[in-house]
Amino acid sequence: MSAVDRLNVSDRERSEPRSSREWLGGRASGVLLIVALLSLWELSSRLGWVVSAYWPPVSQILAAAFAQLMGGEILLSLAATMRRAAIGYAAASAAGIVLGIVLARSRLLRCGLLPLIEIVRPMPTPAIIPPLILFLGVDDALKIFIVALASFFPIFTTTYAGVAAVDDTLIQTARTFRTSWARTLYAVVLPAVVPAIAAGLRTATGLCIVVAVLSEMIAGSSGIGYYLIETQYAMRPDLMYAAVLYLALTGYALNRVFLAIEMRAIPWMGKS
Amino acid sequence: MPRSSEPDGIGYWAGVSPAIVLCIWELAGRLGWTNPILLPNPTQIVAALAALVASGGILTPLVHTVGLFVVGFTLAAVIGTGIGIAMATSRRLYGLLEPLVEMLRPIPKPALVPVLFLFLGIGKATMIALVVLAGMFPVLISTYQGVRGLDPVLLETARTFQISRSRMIASIILPASLPMILAGMRVALGLGLVLVILAEMLAAQEGIGFRILDLERSFQIRDMFAWIVVLVLLGAAMMKVFDVAERNLVPWRGRS
């Protein structure tokens, strides 16, 4: 999991304020590259270098994306997907944090539950969907459950590792002062593990959208994942690319929002 | 973060609770508490699995899935490491590629499955491309972090000795940032497997993913569970192989 940790640190560094001139100065060539690639795409389609129904010009995709703003199916589908992702994420956060703390502090529960968690963990998410369809149907219950299950692991793992890594001296000190169990948890353990929990929560924010989309693809009847498959079969690549664009924007925005909250709420993160 | 080898006080207890769960599951099945069509007993699943292995039918799908995965994962690792090192060692390449990477990275990778199917057609090349796309970004970013985080003294020393750029990358930068590169590859491993299975479910005519969804749709639930067991074992085996490889490649990991 250390990769995930370091990524977080790096993203924090990257998100630190810097002057816009400095930003553009280093990246002007990169922005140009993107513009060049997009122009090439546009031209190749317009001038017929690539003759394919699946290769619409960029402008057409942007037009389709823009038209969707005036009330289109994409935004409705996206909203449905995000709702499922959010509910699953909330459930996973609660379960992951609570179990992470409890299992790290109690040997009995650890012996009982950790092996079970370790068995389920390596299972690729798409594989769990077909058997669950049998029990939960193909509606919200299935997708929310899958999102929750997949998001649970990073949150649980980082919380568990974070609690296990809390300096024992802190806890011993609290014990010396006869601090109650609940107070030790609240005033000593929790602040020390919040950065670890935040790291897990952040990994899970990206993951919950991914899983919501893929579950809709496999067992879909609504949502943006289903919409993507639908437009693939309907041969509407412009709408499909527009949907991907919206998804990418959502993913990017979520990450940014998370970073902003993290920086405000946990200023001590990444400094120990 | 504690190392995986750190004792968590479980030891031999690790097998107890799964065994209890399996016993309850088996009992519930035998006593008729569960619907035997929807949820076969563990013994029935094991029997189905044994039949699968005995008939040799396990081979083709397994080879299909593993083949796609290994090719895609290798490419992702090589490309991700290469671009990561390039971006970390050259200011100019960083400026050139960073906006593109930042643009592509937040796309949820499953969303690219239908896109690539339309684009490259349905086939093995497409599925490999998906694994590459999913796997290369974690490797790339982790590599970049690893190289940027290297001790400047190390690099300055090399520069003092006027080592050539390629030699510096091969004998200093690459080994020193290996732990981070491997950490990125570990993330890519899980993601890659997810993408292979998803792609097989959506479009392949073969492979473990295809089998699982196909058997569910034709209501052969026992065989479906047998294939899921195969997949879990495969995932666990790959993780194990990766752990062993990591321990051999970076024996000093977690000690610094």
Side-chain angles (χ1 to χ4, degrees):
Chain A
M1 294 311 290
S2 60
V4 172
D5 267 16
R6 304 283 178 83
L7 289 185
N8 296 341
V9 172
S10 75
D11 275 3
R12 288 179 71 87
E13 282 164 5
R14 209 175 289 157
S15 69
E16 267 159 27
R18 63 199 156 203
S19 76
S20 59
R21 182 188 289 171
E22 188 187 322
W23 188 89
L24 205 66
R27 291 173 176 76
S29 59
V31 175
L32 275 179
L33 177 70
I34 291 177
V35 172
L37 286 175
L38 290 179
S39 321
L40 191 67
W41 180 348
E42 178 80 23
L43 279 176
S44 65
S45 178
R46 291 258 172 223
L47 300 178
W49 299 342
V50 179
V51 184
S52 164
Y54 314 137
W55 190 247
V58 185
S59 52
Q60 197 183 324
I61 294 166
L62 290 177
F66 190 72
Q68 292 290 324
L69 283 179
M70 317 298 177
E73 217 181 323
I74 291 185
L75 291 185
L76 290 177
S77 307
L78 190 61
T81 304
M82 293 308 291
R83 189 181 66 87
R84 293 178 189 131
I87 299 175
Y89 181 80
S93 314
I97 293 172
V98 169
L99 276 179
I101 293 177
V102 169
L103 259 61
R105 303 299 306 162
S106 151
R107 185 154 179 270
L108 181 70
L109 284 171
R110 186 157 68 232
C111 289
L113 292 178
L114 200 57
L116 296 177
I117 291 174
E118 290 301 327
I119 287 178
V120 182
R121 187 211 298 275
M123 203 181 299
T125 316
I128 315 176
I129 297 177
L132 282 177
I133 291 175
L134 299 174
F135 297 99
L136 299 174
V138 293
D139 288 333
D140 275 2
L142 170 79
K143 285 149 202 165
I144 291 171
F145 183 83
I146 305 256
V147 170
L149 188 69
S151 312
F152 168 80
F153 290 108
I155 301 174
F156 167 79
T157 310
T158 50
T159 308
Y160 176 79
V163 176
V166 168
D167 193 350
D168 213 35
T169 320
L170 288 177
I171 295 169
Q172 296 298 342
T173 311
R175 199 169 290 163
T176 311
F177 285 105
R178 303 216 176 163
T179 317
S180 71
W181 185 85
R183 211 167 148 194
T184 308
L185 185 69
Y186 173 75
V188 179
V189 178
L190 218 48
V193 293
V194 160
I197 295 176
L201 285 176
R202 186 128 83 85
T203 312
T205 33
L207 200 60
C208 72
I209 304 182
V210 168
V211 175
V213 170
L214 78 80
S215 70
E216 287 164 356
M217 284 178 163
I218 296 174
S221 48
S222 66
I224 197 96
Y226 180 68
Y227 184 83
L228 282 166
I229 299 280
E230 221 179 19
T231 46
Q232 181 203 344
Y233 287 135
M235 307 253 175
R236 284 299 303 273
D238 52 337
L239 289 176
M240 188 175 74
Y241 288 111
V244 174
L245 184 67
Y246 276 112
L247 263 177
L249 286 176
T250 311
Y252 185 78
L254 268 184
N255 195 34
R256 286 282 136 183
V257 169
F258 197 99
L259 276 171
I261 296 175
E262 194 179 73
M263 261 186 179
R264 188 155 288 204
I266 330 169
W268 66 91
M269 172 137 184
K271 284 196 189 128
S272 61
Chain B
M1 190 152 284
R3 305 157 205 74
S4 48
S5 59
E6 189 170 282
D8 39 22
I10 292 185
Y12 294 116
W13 292 95
V16 174
S17 56
I20 294 175
V21 170
L22 281 179
C23 287
I24 295 175
W25 181 354
E26 181 74 34
L27 259 180
R30 300 254 158 144
L31 297 175
W33 295 343
T34 56
N35 184 340
I37 297 168
L38 292 184
L39 190 65
N41 301 341
T43 43
Q44 291 172 324
I45 296 173
V46 171
L49 182 61
L52 198 62
V53 173
S55 71
I58 191 174
L59 219 55
T60 331
L62 193 63
V63 168
H64 187 270
T65 303
V66 173
L68 289 178
F69 174 78
V70 168
V71 175
F73 179 74
T74 312
L75 283 173
V78 172
I79 297 173
T81 311
I83 300 182
I85 289 183
M87 281 174 70
T89 50
S90 155
R91 219 44 238 159
R92 199 174 295 161
L93 281 175
Y94 177 80
L96 184 67
L97 296 176
E98 201 262 2
L100 193 63
V101 169
E102 282 303 291
M103 201 170 86
L104 296 178
R105 194 161 71 105
I107 300 177
K109 297 303 172 287
L112 291 178
V113 175
V115 173
L116 287 191
F117 279 156
L118 264 193
F119 204 53
L120 300 175
I122 291 173
K124 285 186 181 160
T126 313
M127 295 180 193
I128 291 172
L130 280 167
V131 180
V132 174
L133 273 175
M136 70 179 255
F137 287 103
V139 179
L140 190 161
I141 284 155
S142 190
T143 305
Y144 176 79
Q145 301 310 331
V147 178
R148 297 296 290 177
L150 289 182
D151 190 352
V153 176
L154 200 65
L155 303 179
E156 293 300 326
T157 312
R159 223 161 273 151
T160 312
F161 285 103
Q162 299 200 315
I163 290 179
S164 73
R165 195 188 178 81
S166 53
R167 176 111 196 267
M168 178 137 130
I169 289 175
S171 52
I172 294 171
I173 292 180
L174 203 56
S177 50
L178 200 55
M180 282 295 286
I181 297 176
L182 287 171
M185 284 169 67
R186 182 183 291 277
V187 177
L189 189 76
L191 272 177
L193 202 55
V194 165
L195 262 288
V196 171
I197 300 297
L198 179 66
E200 285 179 347
M201 281 184 170
L202 291 176
Q205 301 300 317
E206 194 47 90
I208 300 179
F210 166 74
R211 281 294 141 102
I212 291 176
L213 198 59
D214 191 48
L215 289 167
E216 189 261 330
R217 285 182 178 155
S218 57
F219 231 67
Q220 293 164 273
I221 305 305
R222 276 180 211 180
D223 292 320
M224 178 194 75
F225 274 105
W227 275 110
I228 291 177
V229 173
V230 172
L231 189 59
V232 171
L233 294 178
L234 179 67
M238 283 177 171
M239 276 291 168
K240 199 79 206 160
V241 170
F242 194 86
D243 281 344
V244 172
E246 189 177 44
R247 218 168 296 141
N248 285 315
L249 284 170
V250 264
W252 64 90
R253 189 181 171 225
R255 255 186 263 154
S256 60

